[in-house]
Amino acid sequence: MVTENFTPAQVELYNQQGYIIIKGFCTSKEVNKLYQTALDDNAMRNNALDLNDQTGKKTRLSLWFTPGNDVFGYLTRSKK
């Protein structure tokens, strides 16, 4: 996992967009773990919204505003 501090350009981009994309932040193994956890998680499933994209494909979206004490919350906390 990437452990470097954000660059000034990344911080500025975050301030403009509200998010940044960091390629390679998670390994394939970590992404697979998150995906499987999302599929298996009752809270994620029960709070998901059904959405359609512009091509008509269906997706499900779950949003939280505060990190929990689970695998997803772990990613939002910095380790010093």
Side-chain angles (χ1 to χ4, degrees), residues 62-68 76:
S62 297
L63 298 173
W64 274 260
F65 297 102
T66 55
T76 64

Side-chain angles (χ1 to χ4, degrees), residues 9-77:
Q10 289 172 316
V11 172
E12 179 61 28
L13 190 59
Y14 176 80
N15 289 333
Q16 290 174 0
Q17 299 179 165
Y19 67 92
I20 56 173
I21 296 173
I22 303 173
K23 293 185 180 196
F25 183 77
C26 295
T27 65
S28 293
K29 184 177 177 181
E30 291 168 327
V31 170
N32 289 335
K33 172 71 173 174
L34 289 168
Y35 181 68
Q36 192 58 51
T37 299
L39 292 177
D40 296 340
D41 187 271
N42 284 332
M44 184 81 71
R45 191 176 316 113
N46 293 337
N47 291 293
L49 304 170
D50 292 321
L51 301 172
N52 295 325
D53 68 14
Q54 291 179 343
T55 65
K57 292 182 182 175
K58 295 182 187 283
T59 189
R60 295 186 52 89
L61 174 67
S62 297
L63 298 173
W64 274 260
F65 297 102
T66 55
N69 292 322
D70 57 14
V71 67
F72 300 102
Y74 172 77
L75 288 177
T76 64
R77 293 178 176 84

